[in-house]
Amino acid sequence: MTYASGMLANLGFIHAMGGSLRISPELSWDHDDVVFILDQKSHWSLWKAVDGLGFGRRVFAFRHNDLVSLERRLRALEGRRVVIVFESVYSDDGSIAPIQGIVDLARRFEALTYVDDANGFLAYDSSHERFGQEFAALADVTFHMVSLSKAVGLEGGAIAGPSDYIEVLGWLSGTSSFTATILPPAAAAACEAIRHIENDPSVLHRFHSRSETLRASLEQRGFTLNSTPSYITTVHIGSDEHAEQVRRLAAEGGYLVPIFRYPAVRRGHAGLRLIPTADHTEQQIRDFTDALEGIRRRVGF
Ligand SMILES: Cc1ncc(COP(=O)(O)O)c(C=O)c1O
């Protein structure tokens, strides 16, 4: 099922799986008893989507990437219809979900799983050296959502899943029928971009290698980084004010760097989120690291 954006896919999914609709006596769905368990770091669009369902009533959270916490929740909700909602790659800290562990727990407790793979789509698959095992487990999630606004660089979203459920999404999502869905030119361009990456994985290898170079270069200078070495490198800054100063000074030096600050992350946990492209050169990465070191001295983070 396609949507105009990843956010509309998330909203539509929760709306469909949490709602009810009666078209005729033969065609009706009642999901009023379905409960959702979300990783606490799930994207804003997922938390927004469950807003009206009542935290503690039909919505529960488990600690970020913590299988023990998820198991505790599943045990407490045994006997109810449960959908576990999580992301593959978390955008603020670049952490990667224990996908295999989540799928195994879901199987044990007969829960459904929904993965928001916005940030993992095309960047990682089962062939990846470090995270391949987790991404191989994506084949076993019930619903696989992707966004086209990340690796593909366009706009659009999609959910793959069992065909009878996809039909339900068509009826109940709302966001697939009451607004324009992905536009044909965007869909065609996205298919072309996806084919391009699949036919020439060297782009992807270069991309990952640049991320590793950036990470190594920042580590060497003693910056505090996110703990998971994914393609998302987060440089810890701390206060939101310092982060704003870093952004301003970097811009003055010719670098447009995205900062993550409240409300995207907790107050006092601001950072720079860096994703080099496949075309950045090693020299450019070194120059940037030098510049950031100068900025750190001035701001004192
Ligand atoms: C994890 C996650 N889910 C969903 C979205 C929304 O995707 P889109 O930009 O396609 O609406 C984003 C983008 O910010 C995201 O990072």
Side-chain angles (χ1 to χ4, degrees), residues 15-64:
H15 192 253
M17 295 303 284
S20 298
L21 183 67
R22 186 182 161 84
I23 302 287
S24 67
E26 296 77 36
L27 197 59
S28 67
W29 300 271
D30 179 359
H31 298 159
D32 286 345
D33 59 338
V34 171
V35 297
F36 297 92
I37 310 180
L38 278 70
D39 183 292
Q40 67 185 34
K41 276 205 174 179
S42 294
H43 191 254
W44 182 88
S45 55
L46 291 163
W47 281 111
K48 194 69 205 159
V50 296
D51 229 8
L53 297 176
F55 195 76
R57 200 169 58 82
R58 296 185 59 196
V59 180
F60 301 85
F62 66 100
R63 288 162 63 94
H64 179 51

Side-chain angles (χ1 to χ4, degrees), residues 206-266:
R206 260 199 338 273
F207 170 65
H208 286 305
S209 136
R210 293 301 177 271
S211 308
E212 282 161 21
T213 305
L214 174 67
R215 195 176 175 88
S217 173
L218 291 164
E219 262 170 355
Q220 219 173 39
R221 311 292 179 94
F223 285 99
T224 308
L225 306 181
N226 54 325
S227 55
T228 311
S230 62
Y231 71 84
I232 294 175
T233 302
T234 306
V235 179
H236 178 72
I237 296 177
S239 85
D240 293 349
E241 292 68 29
H242 280 166
E244 289 295 348
Q245 282 173 34
V246 171
R247 189 211 322 250
R248 189 171 42 76
L249 290 171
E252 282 170 19
Y255 295 105
L256 208 55
V257 290
I259 60 167
F260 259 43
R261 53 162 295 176
Y262 181 81
V265 295
R266 278 182 297 152

Side-chain angles (χ1 to χ4, degrees), residues 11 27-28 78 101 109 131 134 161 165 218 230 252 291 295:
L11 290 176
L27 197 59
S28 67
E78 240 177 322
F109 287 89
F131 306 121
E134 294 306 345
Y165 277 110
L218 291 164
S230 62
E252 282 170 19
I295 293 171

Side-chain angles (χ1 to χ4, degrees), residues 4-20:
S5 71
M7 177 160 124
L8 289 171
N10 282 346
L11 290 176
F13 176 78
I14 302 282
H15 192 253
M17 295 303 284
S20 298

Side-chain angles (χ1 to χ4, degrees), residues 275-295:
I275 306 176
T277 74
D279 291 335
H280 279 117
T281 64
E282 303 229 338
Q283 184 62 47
Q284 284 171 327
I285 290 174
R286 265 196 304 279
D287 290 347
F288 172 73
T289 316
D290 286 344
L292 195 59
E293 202 171 19
I295 293 171

Side-chain angles (χ1 to χ4, degrees), residues 4-8 10 42-43 45-46 87 89-91 116-119 145-150 154-157 273:
S5 71
M7 177 160 124
L8 289 171
N10 282 346
S42 294
H43 191 254
S45 55
L46 291 163
E87 292 176 31
V89 182
Y90 289 83
S91 52
D116 174 335
D117 189 30
N119 298 299
M145 169 273 187
V146 299
S147 159
L148 301 180
S149 76
K150 314 289 180 181
L154 287 161
E155 238 184 322
R273 196 183 68 156

